[in-house]
Every structure is written in structure tokens, then in C-alpha cells.
Amino acid sequence: MIKACKELKRKKNAVILAHYYAPAEAQKLADHVGDSFYLAKMARQSDADIIVFCGVSFMGESAKLLCPDKKVLMPDLGADCAMAHMASEEKISELRRQYDDLAVVCYINSTARLKALSDVCVTSSNAVKIVSALPNKNIFFIPDAHLGAYVKEQLAGKKNIILNDGYCPVHTKISKESVSELKQKHPEARVLAHPECKGEVLELSDFIGSTLDIIKFAKADTGKEYIVCTEVGVEYKLKIDSPDKSFFFPSPCPCCGDMKLNTPENIYKVLDLEINEVEVDGDLAKRAMLPLERMLELGK
Ligand code: 13P
Ligand code: SF4
């Protein structure tokens, strides 16, 4: 299947992008594997005619917004991110009325509709940098409450960050008890966490960063054991980079079912039949693209 996908990809001048949470088989046949920010940049830079995006719908949508002339296909159109919908238009309007200088900062894990209502997008790898670069004092951070709280803490005294109540169902299931239990079993292990985790987990962490930052940290670090507080798909790359290191995941194992819909069979099928195309309505696309473009500019 992997060989057949690679041949088809060449024939159709397609590029396959995969997030680290996609199944290992999808990561194996992808041209680029990365975190949300890296993949958005790769989509933008690509000269392929077709992008097959092995991620969830907000990632495919962002690729389509950044590359309106390309065909963007998703291996399964049902692969969605629950958090991407967790903010309300009413709350945004209410806060815009309340604060003259409000900037709505939208985590890229969001629908195009929410992006269109925002001033700038961020990802977990550039949120602190971008929010601190904004001229606005008052910030409404949507949809993720936990990444928002992390940015708020990093920029304490500099920005007034108003939090929303969205969350990632996978990362919020990671508890401080499960991390402490692993710490007891592996006292030498360093704790690496994604900022979508709850504050109580981040407090126990030695390093906080995006999926790519976690992978880079583990590779460069001199330790031998790590407790990894993010989705289990990162294990594939962690083990490739550091086969002699041990990685432990909290229990229950953090697994994003939607990401796992990106199977090689689905990748082959959509590329072969050119189905599951991502479409974003023209007017919405224009408005949702602006905060994404601003992110790429400020994130440089
Ligand atoms: P990254 O931006 O770190 O890849 O995170 C994406 C994501 O969906 C985390 O749950
Ligand atoms: Fe969304 Fe969480 Fe899955 Fe990431 S891990 S895609 S935030 S549900």
C-alpha cells in the first residue's frame, strides 16, 4: 500500500502532509510530517497540484485557505477536532463591544468560521511570540482555555488575556495523578507536556511545547527517560530519533481517534479517485485567510 501510494503521488504531482498524531503508517509515506505550524508552512510552500492532508478538518481547511488554487484532499472528511468548534460568535461580539482595542487570537485548532471572526491565528509553537508582538493590551484567546492560560502566565503583567472555555478532550484527560504515578516508577524521567494539558499537569513538567518542540527537545536532551504528556502518535518519531531512550505515556493512553482515521487505505483511495476535497466558501475563505496570513508573517 505504501509503495502504491508513493507511485500514485508521483504520477499526480501530489504531496502528502501528515501530523505527528496521524498513524505511523501515514507518517511513513508522507513527504512532510510536522506540527500544525510546520504543516501550514509546508502547504503554503508546496508546488504540488494536490495536497493530501493527514490530519483533522481544521488542518485541511487551513491548507485550503493558504493554497486556494490547489486541490486539498482529506483521507476521511469525518476527521474533526472537537475543540475547533468551542467558541461562540456572541461572546466574541460582546467582548469587542466591551474593549475598544480587543484582539481576538484564534488557536489554529478552530473552524474557518471562528478564524474569520479573529484578528490573528496562532499555533502552540508560536502563541507566546505572536501574542506578545501584538500592539493590543486586551486579548480574547479562543478556543483553548489551557493554551490560553499558559500564554497568559508567560505574558503576566504585559497583556490582559481573557480566557474562553474550550478544551481538547484528549489532552485534558491527562491527569496529574497519572503523571505522578509514572514519576514514582521512573524518578529519573523528565516530563514533557503539550500546552493543551491542564495547568496541574504543566506544573509537573520539565518542558512545555508543541509536538515538534517536544520531539526536538527529547532528541537534543541528555536524559534517557521521558514521560510524554501529549497524543501517543508522537512516539513513532521520538523512537526514530532516539531509539535508545524510553518514552512513557500517562494512562489512559492519550489517543485522538479522529487523527487515526488517516489510514494508508484511505490515503490511496482519495488520491486515486480525487475525492474528499476540502471546500471553503469564497467569502468565508477570504476573511478566514487574513488571520492565518498574519500568523505566518508574525511567526517568521
Ligand atoms: P501542534 O500544533 O503541537 O501540532 O498541536 C496540534 C494539536 O492538535 C494538538 O492537540
Ligand atoms: Fe483536536 Fe485534541 Fe485531537 Fe488535537 S488531539 S486534533 S486538539 S481533539
Side-chain angles (χ1 to χ4, degrees):
M1 186 52 77
I2 288 178
K3 208 174 144 223
C5 277
K6 284 191 172 166
E7 247 167 58
L8 196 56
K9 185 177 71 178
R10 246 192 320 274
K11 210 167 86 190
K12 298 207 174 200
N13 188 29
V15 67
I16 301 181
L17 306 181
H19 190 269
Y20 288 120
Y21 299 166
E25 296 74 21
Q27 295 188 43
K28 267 182 216 167
L29 58 83
D31 299 282
H32 304 286
V33 185
D35 65 359
S36 310
F37 187 45
Y38 177 80
L39 293 175
K41 285 188 294 185
M42 287 300 112
R44 175 62 148 215
Q45 282 167 26
S46 165
D47 54 11
D49 296 315
I50 300 177
I51 296 176
V52 180
F53 210 119
C54 305
V56 287
S57 52
F58 77 82
M59 296 180 179
E61 229 173 45
S62 299
K64 183 67 190 173
L65 294 174
L66 292 168
C67 320
D69 300 333
K70 293 190 186 9
K71 215 178 225 185
V72 179
L73 310 176
M74 300 273 310
D76 189 317
L77 279 179
D80 197 6
C81 166
M83 179 165 64
H85 306 266
M86 294 184 190
S88 88
E89 194 164 342
E90 293 70 33
K91 181 83 186 160
I92 295 174
S93 310
E94 188 190 312
L95 286 167
R96 285 216 191 268
R97 278 195 298 272
Q98 213 172 317
Y99 297 95
D100 283 346
D101 77 323
L102 190 81
V104 178
V105 174
C106 186
Y107 188 23
I108 197 168
N109 294 37
S110 53
T111 58
R113 195 183 62 82
L114 286 177
K115 287 186 178 77
L117 299 169
S118 305
D119 297 285
V120 66
C121 286
V122 297
T123 72
S124 53
S125 64
N126 60 28
V128 175
K129 180 178 171 181
I130 289 180
V131 174
S132 78
L134 293 175
N136 319 56
K137 172 91 176 159
N138 295 300
I139 309 287
F140 183 32
F141 194 99
I142 59 167
D144 189 16
H146 302 292
L147 178 62
Y150 172 70
V151 176
K152 188 180 171 98
E153 197 188 296
Q154 299 298 304
L155 299 176
K158 295 189 183 125
K159 301 280 177 188
N160 174 36
I161 300 185
I162 303 153
L163 299 176
N164 182 52
D165 54 6
Y167 62 93
C168 161
V170 178
H171 286 82
T172 47
K173 271 203 200 100
I174 302 175
S175 67
K176 68 170 192 248
E177 289 77 15
S178 62
V179 177
S180 304
E181 210 174 287
L182 278 174
K183 271 279 308 165
Q184 263 171 8
K185 279 195 209 150
H186 310 281
E188 297 299 316
R190 288 182 183 147
V191 181
L192 316 177
H194 194 282
E196 282 177 22
C197 292
K198 290 182 285 196
E200 60 179 48
V201 171
L202 299 186
E203 272 170 29
L204 299 175
S205 304
D206 299 291
F207 177 78
I208 299 167
S210 76
T211 48
L212 178 62
D213 292 336
I214 287 176
I215 288 165
K216 279 188 191 161
F217 180 91
K219 187 178 180 184
D221 191 51
T222 53
K224 286 272 168 239
E225 296 186 329
Y226 300 88
I227 296 164
V228 186
C229 302
T230 190
E231 211 273 352
V232 68
V234 299
E235 191 177 23
Y236 173 65
K237 179 70 170 142
L238 287 168
K239 284 304 255 180
I240 290 180
D241 286 352
S242 315
D244 55 332
K245 296 185 182 179
S246 301
F247 301 98
F248 309 103
F249 288 81
S251 174
C253 190
C255 178
C256 179
D258 287 82
M259 284 283 189
K260 304 305 176 215
L261 297 170
N262 295 291
T263 59
E265 290 74 15
N266 284 345
I267 295 169
Y268 184 85
K269 190 174 80 189
V270 298
L271 193 50
D272 186 29
L273 304 174
E274 296 189 27
I275 52 171
N276 288 7
E277 189 171 351
V278 177
E279 307 275 7
V280 188
D281 166 76
D283 179 51
L284 177 65
K286 254 190 232 148
R287 288 182 294 127
M289 194 188 66
L290 295 174
L292 270 177
E293 296 268 16
R294 198 169 174 205
M295 173 187 80
L296 292 179
E297 198 46 46
L298 290 172
K300 263 183 196 162

